[in-house]
Structure formats: structure tokens, C-alpha cells
């Protein structure tokens, strides 16, 4: 086993970012079908001045032809749609390029008449990525999730018999950049969709960063302190983090309001 090189580091980074994109993808697609949130953060907490909502400057982005549109005939959140289209296109294009560079062409066989044909077993190998052609979308048909999985395999140089050759250092670095950008785009879209909102106000107990997560309506909001276990906030730990949800949100809001009031006093007094 060789020591990690810059190449393998770039490959691992790409794989980590691609996995993150995959994990957020469902949330992003769900966000397309929801109007950008006005409900979260709740109006009353915004009135307290403790929370900033990142504005979502909706611009018309129709005209792109994503596969996602098929499942979203009436997108309500154009930011989320635009992010999904951008990420999908970037990863699909990367997979097409990499397939051309690092995937063995389909081998030939002879049919019953002795004519050379493309070996059907090799052609149908599920590990293959089929680039889009004028005849059809190829493996894009299987969606972004499979595309990300396939790219992760290339980033980590997972072998499938002799199907793939390792990516060059340049190709790995490029893939790492594409994956990092895709992750940023998805994260930002989810933040704008109100699914992940970093609160302006720090944790009243430890000054850590508070992040609000929503998965559906505002009633399912969960707020997490980024400090983790050392945070002395009087709520139970969940996965090593202080997490407020349900009724526990009330004392948190109260503490945030008290802190905001104090800050206001010191600014104005
Ligand atoms: Zn805290």
C-alpha cells in the first residue's frame, strides 16, 4: 500500500463531496416542489431580530431542460430547481468525459454469421457509464444518484475487472473541483430553501453556531449547536450534539430573545 499522494487526496475529497451531494439530493428535489419558506424561521423570532433569512432572489431559469423537470411539472422553488439542474448537468458531463477517458471501449465479438459486433455482455455491464449521444441520454437515464456513485468509484479508483483505468492527476483534481462546487451549490440552495439556516445569534450557552434544519413544515424544525458535547445547554445530546426540537425550542427562543435584548441594550445604551 502506497502512502497517500496529492492524487489520492483529491480523489478522496471528490468522493466525500459527491457522497454529500447524493445525501442532500432528495432534500433538494423535495425543495423544488415547495415554495421558498416564509415560515422558517418563524415570524415571531424574526420580529425579535435574532434571525436573518437569506433572501432568495428568484430569477427565471426556465429554458434549461433537466431530467428533473419530468418529475417536477410545476416547480415552486426556482432556486432549488436551478441548483438541481446545474449540479445534474455538471456531474453528468463529468461522467461522460471520464467515461471517454478512463473506461475501456466495448469489446467486439462475432455473431452467429461471423460478423463483428459489440460484445453484448460487455455492453450491458452495469458498471459501465454510457455517455449521452444524439440517440439518447445514455446512463443519465438512471439519474443523478447513480451518476454520483459512479463518479465516486472513479475518484477512488474502484476497479471493475479491466473496465477502468485510473484517472490522471489532472482529471482527479478537476473532478474534485466539480464535486466541491456541486456540494456548495446544493448546500446554498437548501439554505435558501430554509432547510438549513445558520442563525445570526450564537448559542446562548456556549456562543457556538446554531443551525436550523427543517425537513418539511416549520413544526419539524430542529436547531443544532455546532459546539457539540462541550456545550452546556440544558438539552439532551443527540449524536453528540445539543439539539433543540419540539417543546425544547421555547426555552431556546427565550434565551435568544434575552440575549438579543441585552445586545440591544449595550448597543443603544
Ligand atoms: Zn451551544
Amino acid at each position: 500500500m502506497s502512502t497517500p499522494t496529492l492524487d489520492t487526496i483529491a480523489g478522496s475529497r471528490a468522493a466525500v463531496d459527491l457522497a454529500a451531494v447524493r445525501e442532500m439530493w432528495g432534500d433538494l428535489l423535495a425543495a423544488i416542489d415547495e415554495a421558498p419558506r416564509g415560515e422558517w424561521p418563524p415570524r415571531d423570532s424574526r420580529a425579535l431580530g435574532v434571525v436573518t433569512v437569506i433572501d432568495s432572489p428568484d430569477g427565471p431559469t426556465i429554458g434549461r431542460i433537466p431530467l428533473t423537470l419530468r418529475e417536477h411539472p410545476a416547480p415552486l422553488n426556482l432556486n432549488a430547481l436551478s441548483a438541481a439542474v446545474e449540479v445534474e448537468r455538471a456531474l453528468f458531463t463529468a461522467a461522460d468525459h471520464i467515461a471517454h477517458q478512463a473506461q475501456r471501449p466495448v469489446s467486439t465479438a462475432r455473431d452467429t454469421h461471423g460478423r463483428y459486433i459489440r460484445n453484448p455482455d460487455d455492453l450491458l455491464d452495469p458498471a459501465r457509464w454510457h455517455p449521452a449521444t444524439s440517440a439518447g441520454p445514455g446512463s443519465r437515464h438512471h439519474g443523478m444518484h447513480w451518476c454520483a456513485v459512479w463518479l465516486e468509484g472513479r475518484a477512488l479508483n474502484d476497479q471493475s475487472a479491466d473496465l477502468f483505468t485510473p484517472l490522471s492527476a489532472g482529471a482527479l483534481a478537476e473532478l474534485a473541483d466539480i464535486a466541491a462546487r456541486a456540494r456548495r451549490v446544493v448546500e446554498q440552495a437548501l439554505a435558501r430553501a430554509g432547510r438549513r439556516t445558520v442563525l445570526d445569534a450564537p448559542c446562548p450557552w456556549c456562543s457556538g453556531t446554531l443551525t436550523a434544519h427543517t425537513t418539511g413544515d416549520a413544526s419539524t424544525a430542529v436547531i443544532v449547536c455546532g459546539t457539540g458535547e462541550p456545550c452546556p445547554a440544558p438539552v439532551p445530546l443527540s449524536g453528540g450534539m445539543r439539539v433543540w426540537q419540539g417543546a425544547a425550542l421555547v426555552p431556546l427562543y427565550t434565551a435568544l430573545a434575552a440575549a438579543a435584548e441585552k445586545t440591544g441594550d449595550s448597543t443603544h445604551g
Side-chain angles (χ1 to χ4, degrees):
M1 189 57 217
S2 53
T3 48
T5 61
L6 283 177
D7 304 356
T8 55
I9 291 168
S12 316
R13 225 177 54 218
V16 166
D17 286 340
L18 287 163
V21 169
R22 262 195 301 121
E23 281 157 21
M24 293 184 288
W25 196 246
D27 271 0
L28 183 63
L29 294 187
I32 294 172
D33 286 334
E34 293 170 13
R37 312 205 82 81
E39 316 78 29
W40 180 258
R43 287 177 213 295
D44 54 345
S45 73
R46 266 188 286 172
L48 292 170
V50 296
V51 162
T52 302
V53 187
I54 302 162
D55 280 335
S56 46
D58 281 334
T61 51
I62 302 300
R64 310 185 184 202
I65 317 292
L67 294 172
T68 45
L69 261 181
R70 221 174 29 205
E71 295 158 43
H72 301 275
L76 291 172
N77 184 331
L78 294 184
N79 277 321
L81 176 65
S82 169
V85 170
E86 178 182 342
V87 167
E88 201 176 61
R89 175 183 292 170
L91 297 194
F92 283 165
T93 304
D96 283 2
H97 284 162
I98 289 173
H100 285 304
Q101 288 167 359
Q103 183 174 264
R104 179 176 51 69
V106 178
S107 59
T108 51
R110 289 200 188 225
D111 67 9
T112 49
H113 304 286
R115 288 177 301 215
Y116 284 105
I117 54 164
R118 297 205 290 172
N119 181 342
D121 291 339
D122 196 15
L123 181 64
L124 297 175
D125 185 338
R128 266 188 189 284
W129 179 265
H130 298 278
T133 64
S134 53
S139 294
R140 298 180 180 208
H141 174 72
H142 298 303
M144 216 297 298
H145 198 273
W146 162 239
C147 178
V149 169
W150 189 85
L151 286 171
E152 281 165 61
R154 304 294 67 71
L156 298 173
N157 192 24
D158 285 348
Q159 285 307 314
S160 178
D162 64 341
L163 193 51
F164 305 111
T165 50
L167 296 189
S168 69
L172 277 174
E174 198 179 327
L175 180 57
D177 284 350
I178 291 168
R181 174 168 171 77
R183 181 179 184 165
R184 258 195 326 271
V185 167
V186 174
E187 283 177 347
Q188 284 168 4
L190 289 177
R192 281 200 298 265
R195 286 165 176 271
R196 284 166 199 223
T197 310
V198 175
L199 304 199
D200 260 2
C203 173
W205 289 275
C206 74
S207 301
T209 303
L210 295 175
T211 307
H213 300 256
T214 55
T215 50
D217 58 297
S219 64
T220 62
V222 169
I223 294 183
V224 179
C225 172
T227 301
E229 199 167 345
C231 172
V235 285
L237 285 164
S238 169
M241 307 300 274
R242 299 290 173 193
V243 173
W244 293 264
Q245 53 192 319
L249 288 167
V250 177
L252 173 62
Y253 286 142
T254 310
L256 286 170
E261 208 167 296
K262 230 196 271 174
T263 314
D265 284 352
S266 62
T267 337
H268 298 121

